[in-house]
């Protein structure tokens, strides 16, 4: 599997997939520059170079080399880099792309706004730009640590959503999600339904600002 992105989301997802026995390569535009980052980030977490050294079973390569031969590609890039990053990876036709990015605009500070909303979504943009890929939007309604280990919140008793045009691709993703502990997964429908889950981000961010913790999710009662 390939995970595009070296930030906390990419690191957390890559580590979790590796722990579950998957062969994982993290993709970055410039591996040497990424590995040279050793200073802690704004939250005090180790720089990517130190993180990589601690988890040497996880490979590091260019986007294209990471995606080559991967049976599934996770887009864990920032929203403004999502489309260009998937393009740089040259993902093979028919590959499942698990898109967890959000279109966050920090240009006016916190909390961020959305640079895509209402009539479009990042998932749709990726699918439209790369029509031979099988894009599935999921996990973008929660903190990275909860994405990787859902039992951190309410023992995993919350809802995870998937959106995508390809039923078989969604089933692959649902099985992967269930394997890491997501027990209540709802298939919302085609990729346009990603507009709905993306629109939960402003609520999520404001709850974070109010409650002071990123550890919460959404539960659908049915």
């Amino acid at each position: 599997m390939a995970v595009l992105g070296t930030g906390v989301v990419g690191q957390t997802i890559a580590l979790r997939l590796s722990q579950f026995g998957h062969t994982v390569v993290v993709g970055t535009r410039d591996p040497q520059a990424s590995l040279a980052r050793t200073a802690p980030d704004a939250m005090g977490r180790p720089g990517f170079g130190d993180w990589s050294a601690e988890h040497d079973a996880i490979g590091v390569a260019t986007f294209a080399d990471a995606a080559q031969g991967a049976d599934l590609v996770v887009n864990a890039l920032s929203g403004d880099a999502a489309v260009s990053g998937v393009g740089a990876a040259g993902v093979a036709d028919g590959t499942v792309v698990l898109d967890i990015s959000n279109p966050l605009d920090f240009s006016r500070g916190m909390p961020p706004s959305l640079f895509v909303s209402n009539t479009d979504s990042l998932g749709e943009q990726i699918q439209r730009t790369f029509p031979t890929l099988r894009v599935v939007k999921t996990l973008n309604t929660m903190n990275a640590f909860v994405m990787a280990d859902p039992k951190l919140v309410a023992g995993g008793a919350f809802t995870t959503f998937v959106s995508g045009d390809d039923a078989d691709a969604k089933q692959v993703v649902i099985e992967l999600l269930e394997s890491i502990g997501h027990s209540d997964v709802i298939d919302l429908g085609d990729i346009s339904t990603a507009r709905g889950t993306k629109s939960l981000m402003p609520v999520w961010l404001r709850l974070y600002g109010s409650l002071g913790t990123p550890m919460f999710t959404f539960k659908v009662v049915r």
Side-chain angles (χ1 to χ4, degrees):
M1 294 184 178
V3 176
L4 307 182
T6 60
V8 63
V9 178
Q11 292 175 26
T12 305
I13 292 297
L15 180 57
R16 185 65 163 172
L17 293 174
S18 177
Q19 289 171 338
F20 273 74
H22 299 285
T23 300
V24 181
V25 180
V26 171
T28 174
R29 294 185 190 278
D30 185 338
Q32 293 307 311
S34 295
L35 291 169
R37 294 202 311 266
T38 56
D41 66 13
M43 302 297 291
R45 293 180 292 253
F48 180 75
D50 287 344
W51 177 88
S52 179
E54 292 176 5
H55 306 291
D56 56 5
I58 299 172
V60 179
T62 63
F63 287 150
D65 286 344
Q68 185 175 14
D71 56 354
L72 184 145
V73 174
V74 179
N75 172 35
L77 294 162
S78 61
D80 57 358
V83 174
S84 64
V86 173
V91 183
D93 292 354
T95 301
V96 176
V97 175
L98 194 164
D99 175 35
I100 58 180
S101 62
N102 275 304
L104 301 180
D105 179 358
F106 293 92
S107 63
R108 298 183 181 180
M110 290 292 289
S113 59
L114 303 176
F115 64 79
V116 176
S117 62
N118 299 324
T119 58
D120 202 2
S121 66
L122 270 179
E124 289 174 87
Q125 289 186 352
I126 295 170
Q127 185 64 86
R128 194 164 56 241
T129 305
F130 309 103
T132 62
L133 303 183
R134 299 190 291 164
V135 180
V136 179
K137 189 77 172 189
T138 191
L139 294 178
N140 61 308
T141 58
M142 63 195 75
N143 170 274
F145 302 106
V146 180
M147 294 179 189
D149 187 1
K151 294 190 183 301
L152 289 173
V153 176
F158 60 85
T159 304
T160 304
F161 306 100
V162 297
S163 301
D165 293 339
D166 188 289
D168 291 339
K170 285 189 287 188
Q171 188 57 40
V172 168
V173 170
I174 288 170
E175 290 175 2
L176 180 63
L177 293 174
E178 290 176 343
S179 75
I180 63 174
H182 291 269
S183 58
D184 182 30
V185 182
I186 294 180
D187 181 352
L188 293 178
D190 67 33
I191 193 63
S192 71
T193 63
R195 300 174 192 180
T197 55
K198 170 259 305 169
S199 295
L200 291 172
M201 279 305 295
V203 178
W204 190 98
L205 290 163
R206 281 155 180 79
L207 280 169
Y208 185 9
S210 175
L211 300 176
T213 174
M215 295 298 187
F216 48 80
T217 55
F218 301 93
K219 175 65 178 177
V220 175
V221 179
R222 48 179 175 155

